[in-house]
Amino acid sequence: MCDIWKGNNNVQQLEESDIEKLLNSLLQLKTRLVVMSGGEALMHANFFSLCEILRSNKIKISILSTGLLLKKYSKQIIANTNEIIVSLDGSKEIHDKIRNIPDAFNKLKEGVQVLKNLKKNYRVTARCVVQRENFMDLPNIVDASHKIGLDQISFLNADVSTEAFNRPNLWDEGKVNEIKLSLEEVDQFKQIIEKLIKTHSMDFKNGFIAESPNKLRGFYNYYAAFHGLCDFPTVTCNAPWVSAVIEADGKVRPCFFHSVMGDIRESSLTTLINKPESILFRKNLNMATNPICKKCVCSLNLSPFAKF
């Protein structure tokens, strides 16, 4: 669901010097957590050096990963980061098909087990993007998460309407229809969600499934809204007020989906997020009416009392 990897031939990545310059802003802003994403964050040649700069200043680190390199870098991951969130697209056959990588599921599973053997309480969770190729697999995805040894599974709908994740040109209708659910599939999806809520009630109750039953029901509303069956689910989010996204080329966004507001190689992060234009953006942003926010699949609503 992410096209960032397509830019691999034109390598752009943050260097140690960028992180060292950025560090002053992170400390001024009392940053508590940095999420390392990609592409595949673990492919960065100096990844663990970047982590060390942050960790030495008591900033916690979370990694978003495909999970394919967990075994190779298991000791460094344990030593330099606080948690990892892997991409899980389905049970074995579905995951391998979507990833288009032979034995991807087993490599992910083996990597998780290696991490857990090194440090039992190291937190490893998974995130699954729900789309046409895996929506019927939802119960199996939860079961597979248990078998892999994950601490939690969370779900997202597929973003099919923005330029986020290295899509400067919006997907055409053909590509969108490969991903979003058809009218007939939307009805099936509703039934699958209700069945999951019944058969996996304990997984909802104990938090193994991150979303509540009602939030998962909103996943149906998201895809149904594209067919005019209902409104898009209500979005509650404070991402632009509590976080920022710094891309591999240094550009800064208030979240993954909204427009670039500057570049850390030209100005400090503190300056960028506090310049008049940025403040005005946050002041005027209305989740209920903004066309990007209304279709958001990855909202963040961080409590001021959240613990990291």
Side-chain angles (χ1 to χ4, degrees):
M1 299 305 97
C2 170
D3 287 346
I4 292 175
W5 63 273
K6 292 181 179 179
N8 285 353
N9 292 331
N10 182 26
V11 176
Q12 297 182 13
Q13 60 183 22
L14 297 177
E15 305 296 342
E16 285 188 58
S17 58
D18 297 316
I19 300 299
E20 288 169 349
K21 292 176 184 176
L22 180 62
L23 186 61
N24 287 333
S25 289
L26 296 180
L27 295 176
Q28 288 173 8
L29 296 165
K30 299 182 179 179
T31 304
R32 296 157 66 186
L33 173 70
V34 169
V35 180
M36 298 287 205
S37 183
E40 172 56 68
L42 293 171
M43 290 180 68
H44 191 295
N46 298 311
F47 178 74
F48 294 109
S49 296
L50 305 183
C51 290
E52 176 56 32
I53 294 171
L54 298 172
R55 290 267 288 179
S56 64
N57 286 277
K58 296 182 170 54
I59 297 173
K60 293 188 175 181
I61 298 168
S62 176
I63 313 174
L64 304 185
S65 173
T66 62
L68 297 175
L69 297 174
L70 300 188
K71 181 180 179 180
K72 181 177 181 179
Y73 295 113
S74 56
K75 291 182 180 179
Q76 295 98 313
I77 290 169
I78 293 293
N80 292 282
T81 71
N82 298 91
E83 68 168 357
I84 192 161
I85 304 169
V86 297
S87 297
L88 180 64
D89 292 311
S91 52
K92 186 181 185 308
E93 291 75 16
I94 301 294
H95 180 80
D96 290 355
K97 179 183 177 183
I98 292 175
R99 288 280 136 184
N100 195 27
I101 297 174
D103 216 27
F105 181 89
N106 285 335
K107 290 176 182 176
L108 167 60
K109 181 179 179 181
E110 184 180 13
V112 172
Q113 291 173 346
V114 169
L115 289 176
K116 288 294 187 179
N117 287 337
L118 287 172
K119 187 175 181 180
K120 186 177 181 180
N121 64 346
Y122 183 81
R123 185 168 172 81
V124 186
T125 63
R127 185 170 292 164
C128 177
V129 177
V130 181
Q131 41 109 343
R132 286 193 75 178
E133 290 197 65
N134 67 3
F135 78 97
M136 296 186 70
D137 201 37
L138 247 62
N140 298 327
I141 293 171
V142 177
D143 294 340
S145 300
H146 281 294
K147 292 177 182 177
I148 290 171
L150 298 169
D151 295 299
Q152 188 181 60
I153 176 73
S154 66
F155 295 96
L156 293 173
N157 280 317
D159 170 45
V160 298
S161 58
T162 77
E163 298 177 353
F165 312 115
N166 196 36
R167 297 197 295 254
N169 299 312
L170 294 175
W171 280 346
D172 60 30
E173 186 176 356
K175 177 63 175 178
V176 169
N177 288 333
E178 289 178 15
I179 303 300
K180 77 176 185 180
L181 276 57
S182 67
L183 183 59
E184 179 182 352
E185 289 167 336
V186 162
D187 185 58
Q188 292 177 292
F189 189 33
K190 187 174 186 178
Q191 297 175 42
I192 290 167
I193 291 171
E194 292 303 326
K195 183 179 179 181
L196 179 68
I197 291 170
K198 290 180 180 179
T199 59
H200 291 71
S201 58
M202 187 56 66
D203 287 320
F204 285 100
K205 186 175 181 179
N206 63 23
F208 185 78
I209 298 176
E211 290 71 34
S212 68
N214 281 338
K215 185 167 184 179
L216 203 61
R217 288 184 176 111
F219 283 43
Y220 158 81
N221 292 69
Y222 173 79
Y223 282 119
F226 284 107
H227 299 284
L229 299 178
C230 61
D231 293 329
F232 285 94
T234 301
V235 173
T236 303
C237 178
N238 60 4
W241 291 270
V242 300
S243 64
V245 173
I246 303 169
E247 298 184 332
D249 59 0
K251 289 185 173 59
V252 178
R253 297 177 185 267
C255 73
F256 282 106
F257 306 97
H258 283 287
S259 299
V260 170
M261 55 186 179
D263 190 317
I264 61 165
R265 289 168 175 163
E266 298 173 0
S267 189
S268 72
L269 178 64
T270 305
T271 299
L272 292 175
I273 66 173
N274 288 307
K275 67 180 183 178
E277 298 92 330
S278 300
I279 294 172
L280 186 64
F281 168 80
R282 293 192 294 271
K283 182 178 180 179
N284 293 332
L285 183 60
N286 186 330
M287 302 289 164
T289 59
N290 184 275
I292 292 177
C293 294
K294 286 175 69 174
K295 295 182 181 180
C296 184
V297 300
C298 191
S299 58
L300 170 70
N301 191 33
L302 189 65
S303 165
F305 304 106
K307 295 180 180 179
F308 295 98

